[in-house]
Amino acid sequence: MSLALGFDLLLASALLWSAWRALTTVRLDHAVVVFIVFGLLMALAWARLQAPDIGLAEAAIGAGLSGALLLDAYGALRRREAERKAP
Amino acid sequence: MKRLVVIAAALAFSLALIATLLELPAATIDLRPAVAENLAASGVAHPVTAVLLNYRGYDTLLEIAVLLLALFGILALGLERQVCTLRAAERPLQLLARLASPLMVVVAVYLLWAGAWRPGGAFQAGAVLAAAAVLLHLTELLPGWLQPSARLRWGLAGGFLLFLGVATAMLARGALLEYPPAHAGALILLIEAGLTFSLGLILAGLFLFMTCDEGGD
């Protein structure tokens, strides 16, 4: 029981930490990666709350697809910036 | 000084919120017995799927409509009309994507099938399908979508139309979305299969319609 409680406490603090880092990190690429980490931790938290359905959806949509979209948006932003500087 | 006041006010507000949450009365309506009692008539053995596609099928119908509307919004905003040039991605990466994507399709079908009696279902399966498409796009095996062709449009809207068709067909028997218990399982599987296919395309479309602005760098 105490092991499970320790894991839950660790998970909760990691969630809060990653949420805070995702919002406050200056570098966008770091923020996106931390957001994906947050999504995966959130999926774990749903699984711990006995809601595996939501956990599956969170892992696939929250972490996977939104993460990929954010990374792609970051890439597009960087390309646009490079184009503005180049000519 | 001002900062301290703001921090103190925020702290007080948070504490008040937490105190209120702790004092909330327990929910007076307990729907779990009702769900469990009618599970046999719902056509599936997993309570979450029963709620999503039978008891509250209306919500799921509107949900897929909202996702479709979101995609229409993106299409209405206008796409950048540029031909995407595919840069050759690294070979090992492409090989891994080629190996992974058929497996992902299998996983999606399994999730769809398993949704009847354990966690899984159309939304998760659709997300896995979409992830496979995004993976193939990122490894430059699948070009981004420039314009939705007629076939693609049918694919995008098909799941919603199928769901709506089944829902209205039930009107003849009495109420919208009220499946006859004998055929409920088959109808739910049919709807879920359509939803999975369309959701995969819609979610992939959110990605593939947008990423056509790489002019090669």
Side-chain angles (χ1 to χ4, degrees):
Chain A
M1 194 58 217
S2 68
L3 190 66
L5 184 70
F7 180 76
D8 288 349
L9 283 177
L10 197 67
L11 187 59
S13 42
L15 263 176
L16 286 175
W17 178 82
S18 56
W20 178 250
R21 290 293 295 170
L23 288 176
T24 55
T25 308
V26 180
R27 288 186 53 176
L28 272 180
D29 48 344
H30 291 191
V32 170
V33 171
V34 177
F35 176 78
I36 295 173
V37 170
F38 171 79
L40 290 175
L41 288 172
M42 196 70 224
L44 261 185
W46 283 121
R48 282 293 299 158
L49 288 169
Q50 323 256 311
D53 292 85
I54 308 178
L56 271 176
E58 170 68 38
I61 299 176
L65 272 178
S66 333
L69 265 180
L70 284 173
L71 277 177
D72 194 65
Y74 174 72
L77 275 179
R78 220 176 42 172
R79 262 196 308 279
R80 228 161 266 181
E81 225 156 76
E83 266 169 30
R84 203 174 300 155
K85 269 179 201 162
Chain B
M1 188 58 209
K2 199 169 143 194
R3 196 173 193 178
L4 274 181
V5 172
V6 170
I7 290 176
L11 263 181
F13 182 64
S14 315
L15 284 179
L17 266 185
I18 292 172
T20 324
L21 272 181
L22 287 177
E23 285 198 1
L24 276 182
T28 47
I29 310 172
D30 190 7
L31 287 173
R32 273 171 296 177
V35 169
E37 257 170 48
N38 295 305
L39 202 55
S42 72
V44 287
H46 188 51
V48 175
T49 310
V51 170
L52 280 179
L53 280 144
N54 200 330
Y55 309 151
R56 309 274 316 156
Y58 199 56
D59 290 2
T60 312
L61 180 66
L62 291 183
E63 223 168 284
I64 174 91
V66 164
L67 272 172
L68 200 56
L69 268 182
L71 192 73
F72 288 166
I74 288 176
L75 290 176
L77 269 178
L79 306 167
E80 300 188 38
R81 308 257 186 285
Q82 280 184 31
V83 181
C84 304
T85 47
L86 293 185
R87 279 160 293 136
E90 291 172 30
R91 279 307 175 94
L93 214 56
Q94 287 192 331
L95 181 71
L96 278 178
R98 275 180 210 272
L99 284 176
S101 43
L103 282 178
M104 289 168 90
V105 174
V106 173
V107 168
V109 174
Y110 169 74
L111 277 174
L112 166 68
W113 180 248
W117 73 93
R118 54 184 302 173
F123 274 78
Q124 286 86 342
V128 172
L129 274 187
V134 169
L135 188 69
L136 286 178
H137 176 69
L138 289 179
T139 51
E140 316 286 343
L141 290 169
L142 183 72
W145 296 342
L146 273 178
Q147 267 296 318
S149 63
R151 223 166 21 149
L152 183 56
R153 281 168 211 244
W154 276 109
L156 288 168
F160 175 63
L161 292 178
L162 180 71
F163 201 164
L164 201 62
V166 172
T168 33
M170 295 303 131
L171 264 182
R173 298 178 35 87
L176 192 76
L177 276 169
E178 200 178 281
Y179 316 125
H183 305 294
L187 280 176
I188 286 178
L189 189 65
L190 176 74
I191 292 171
E192 279 206 300
L195 282 185
T196 302
F197 183 69
S198 282
L199 271 171
L201 284 179
I202 290 174
L203 291 176
L206 292 180
F207 196 89
L208 291 178
F209 279 128
M210 303 279 279
T211 59
C212 242
D213 60 342
E214 19 222 301
D217 41 7

